[in-house]
């Protein structure tokens, strides 16, 4: 067992370390703008600055091999003409840089210099070989003014950054560099396959555990169904109400364990997907020809990952609700065992509703966040959702009535999942599903009866608080009345002396002679028991009464005068 725990801890640690490394490398591989870009961003929170009502100053990045070198500025307007001009200027500069990279220049002697032209500066490239003052692009005073520099300062910085980028671009296009990156890519893929195989084995182990839990849950459901379908709820110990509550508790525990295992498997699947997306983005980052695609590969998966993490958070919130309820019950030492069992049944009823509400809120927040990141305005969506909600509320008054009735059923604890109830005097069964809209009962024939909560007008709960039954014993007229009553009382005392039956009986008394006729007289015996087990107590009392009457030579009347009845509360 210790070795198994150590092995599991080692595997968990390995996966967490690898996942953390991949995430850190993804974050580290996101393009970091040059210092000039940071200084340019200091003038405002947006890459566009308004001057007047119609004119804008826009900034766009110039990139080489997916890396931002510097920012250039241009005048924009609402008609978009100047914006297109700035985009064309960016494309022209990038094309000039890529075109120069294809030339056979001397990288050791490469120099990128600034030629001052008065109202602008020209950035040129030269080497000691075939190239001298090759024009690359032009910088304007607006480029420097927006960045907060003079034209000379901005030009010198951009020239230095361009020279470093051209040298690095040339080096990354050499055969030995590309071969090394290909080998490293293969290593990354092998590592990904190794980690994925470990995660797959881990998932397989969790699936096996889930299969066992499902079998246990199905067995528990089968026992509860058999208990519901029996003609007498308390035919034996397994069909008693207490045993049914224990089954409901076991069912709740199995469901919680299934939720936890499902969350673990889901997180492993998300981790596996994140690892491969990270590896693909890392490989794209290694090569200058594919580095520009890395942002496209990462953007949508990262936004989709927000939704996946929101789903995981929703699942985790459900587990948190179960744990909170369990801890609350565990520390309620002042509650009796019956009260704890009752709270477990209630928790099994309203916990799914709390989970669904929390999950819905989390998913909605995540969807709104993703939409905002995609540039979709949220105000019209929220306004439309409000109008739609109002329309639904006006057109679905029956649904609102169901929701209100379901809320009152839960708050007032009229019944809970696992209770045996009779609804509206004609629907009997065990409560199998309960939500704010409807209630589902499983009757003795195994049929599932579903009722809208607003249609439930009368509830007869056979599993709550206590039950009372009155038994009528027909005694032959030849028997002595006082002796017969003493024998009946002695049988009650014998049952109370038994610890098992004493725990089920709350009150028991012989009421006296209820009726008399030519066949004999009838003695009434009343029992008050725990809910749902009064028939079990009555059957045991009858079993003990027969030999007690035989020993006292007391005969039963030839036919009973009354049938046994019951009063429940």
């Amino acid at each position: 067992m210790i070795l198994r725990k150590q092995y599991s801890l080692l595997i968990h640690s390995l996966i967490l370390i690898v996942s953390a490394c991949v995430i850190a490398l993804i974050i580290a591989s996101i393009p970091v703008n040059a210092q000039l870009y940071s200084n340019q961003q200091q003038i405002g929170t947006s890459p566009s600055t308004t001057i007047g009502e119609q004119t804008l100053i826009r900034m766009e990045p110039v990139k080489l091999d997916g890396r931002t070198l510097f920012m250039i500025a241009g005048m924009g307007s609402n008609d978009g003409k100047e914006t297109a001009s700035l985009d064309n200027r960016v494309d022209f500069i990038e094309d000039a840089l890529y075109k120069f990279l294809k030339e056979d220049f001397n990288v050791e002697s490469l120099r990128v210099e600034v030629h001052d032209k008065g109202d602008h500066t020209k950035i040129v490239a030269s080497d000691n070989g075939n190239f001298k003052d090759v024009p690359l692009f032009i910088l304007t005073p607006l480029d420097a003014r927006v960045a907060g520099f003079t034209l000379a300062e901005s030009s010198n910085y951009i020239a230095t950054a361009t020279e470093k980028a051209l040298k690095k671009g040339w080096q990354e296009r050499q055969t030995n560099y590309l071969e090394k990156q290909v080998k490293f890519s293969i290593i990354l893929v092998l590592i990904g396959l190794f980690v994925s195989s470990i995660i797959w084995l881990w998932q397989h182990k969790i699936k096996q555990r889930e299969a066992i839990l499902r079998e246990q849950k199905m067995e528990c459901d089968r026992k509860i169904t058999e208990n519901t379908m029996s003609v007498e709820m308390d035919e034996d110990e397994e069909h008693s109400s207490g045993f049914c509550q224990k089954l409901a508790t076991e069912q709740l525990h199995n469901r919680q364990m299934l939720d936890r295992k499902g969350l673990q498997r889901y997180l492993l699947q998300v981790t596996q997907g994140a690892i491969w997306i990270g590896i693909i983005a890392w490989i794209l980052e290694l090569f200058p020809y594919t580095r520009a695609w890395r942002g496209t590969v990462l953007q949508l998966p990262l936004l989709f990952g927000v939704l996946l993490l929101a789903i995981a958070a929703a699942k985790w919130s459900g587990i948190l609700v179960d744990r909170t309820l369990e801890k609350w019950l565990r520390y309620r030492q002042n509650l009796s065992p019956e009260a704890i069992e009752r709270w477990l049944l209630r928790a099994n009823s309203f916990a799914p509703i709390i989970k669904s509400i929390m999950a819905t809120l989390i998913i909605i927040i995540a969807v709104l966040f993703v939409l905002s990141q995609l540039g979709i305005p949220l105000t019209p969506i929220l306004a439309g959702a409000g109008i739609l909600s109002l329309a639904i509320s006006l057109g679905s008054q029956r649904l609102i009535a169901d929701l209100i009735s379901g809320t009152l059923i839960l708050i007032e604890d009229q019944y809970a999942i696992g209770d045996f109830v009779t609804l509206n005097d004609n629907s009997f069964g065990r409560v199998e599903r309960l939500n704010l809209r409807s209630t589902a009962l499983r009757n003795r024939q195994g049929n599932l009866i579903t009722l809208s909560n607003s249609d439930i007008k009368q509830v007869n709960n056979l599993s709550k608080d206590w039950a009372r039954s009155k038994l009528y014993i027909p005694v032959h007229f030849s028997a002595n009345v006082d002796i017969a009553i003493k024998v009946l009382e002695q049988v009650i005392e014998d049952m109370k002396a038994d610890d098992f039956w004493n725990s089920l009986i709350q009150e028991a008394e012989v009421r006296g002679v209820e009726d008399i006729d030519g066949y004999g007289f009838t003695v009434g015996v009343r029992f008050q028991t725990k809910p749902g087990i009064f028939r079990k107590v009555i059957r045991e009392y009858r079993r003990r009464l027969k030999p007690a009457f035989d020993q006292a030579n007391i005969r039963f009347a030839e036919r009973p005068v009354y049938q046994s009845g019951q009063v429940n509360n």
Side-chain angles (χ1 to χ4, degrees), residues 76-87:
S77 59
N78 292 336
D79 58 9
K81 293 181 180 179
E82 297 296 334
T83 300
S85 176
L86 180 61
D87 294 337

Side-chain angles (χ1 to χ4, degrees), residues 461 464-468 506 528-532 567-569:
N461 194 334
K464 189 177 179 183
D465 297 336
W466 51 270
R468 182 178 292 167
Q506 295 179 353
Q528 181 173 310
T529 67
K530 290 184 177 182
V567 179
N568 296 326
N569 189 0

Side-chain angles (χ1 to χ4, degrees), residues 28-183:
S29 64
I30 296 177
V32 179
N33 296 331
Q35 182 181 358
L36 181 62
Y37 174 68
S38 298
N39 292 332
Q40 290 171 331
Q41 287 293 85
Q42 291 177 1
I43 67 172
T45 58
S46 171
S48 301
T49 304
T50 302
I51 300 178
E53 297 181 355
Q54 299 294 331
T55 305
L56 303 172
I57 297 179
R58 294 186 62 254
M59 293 179 291
E60 291 292 336
V62 175
K63 298 181 179 180
L64 182 64
D65 293 340
R67 298 190 181 100
T68 298
L69 299 182
F70 54 88
M71 303 286 291
I72 61 173
M75 304 301 293
S77 59
N78 292 336
D79 58 9
K81 293 181 180 179
E82 297 296 334
T83 300
S85 176
L86 180 61
D87 294 337
N88 292 335
R89 185 181 170 205
V90 170
D91 294 338
F92 176 80
I93 296 174
E94 291 179 351
D95 291 341
L97 294 176
Y98 282 116
K99 182 177 179 180
F100 187 77
L101 273 177
K102 295 179 181 179
E103 302 293 342
D104 187 18
F105 61 87
N106 188 346
V107 69
E108 299 294 336
S109 60
L110 176 65
R111 301 185 311 277
V112 177
E113 300 173 340
V114 178
H115 289 183
D116 188 3
K117 300 297 183 180
D119 60 340
H120 65 276
T121 57
K122 181 184 293 185
I123 307 299
V124 298
S126 304
D127 64 357
N128 293 335
N130 300 325
F131 300 95
K132 181 175 178 59
D133 296 340
V134 176
L136 297 178
F137 51 87
I138 293 175
L139 296 177
T140 66
L142 183 61
D143 299 329
R145 180 165 67 89
V146 172
F149 296 112
T150 64
L151 181 58
E153 292 173 342
S154 179
S155 300
N156 290 330
Y157 179 84
I158 291 176
T160 302
T162 304
E163 180 178 327
K164 292 180 180 179
L166 289 174
K167 290 181 178 180
K168 189 173 183 63
W170 182 87
Q171 293 173 354
E172 290 180 346
R173 284 166 171 77
Q174 302 306 305
T175 304
N176 56 349
Y177 176 85
L178 295 176
E179 290 178 351
K180 183 168 63 174
Q181 299 300 77
V182 169
K183 293 179 182 178

Side-chain angles (χ1 to χ4, degrees), residues 54 79 157 186 289 299 326 366 400 457 462 476 544 552:
Q54 299 294 331
D79 58 9
Y157 179 84
I186 295 174
Y289 309 105
Q299 183 180 11
E326 286 181 351
I400 296 176
K457 306 303 180 182
L462 306 181
H476 197 268
R544 292 173 180 250

Side-chain angles (χ1 to χ4, degrees), residues 492-516:
I492 292 177
E493 295 299 325
D494 292 342
M495 290 185 66
K496 289 184 176 180
D498 190 311
D499 293 336
F500 175 76
W501 295 106
N502 186 50
S503 63
L504 303 181
I505 300 173
Q506 295 179 353
E507 294 180 8
E509 63 174 337
V510 177
R511 302 286 291 178
V513 178
E514 300 285 350
D515 197 6
I516 188 170

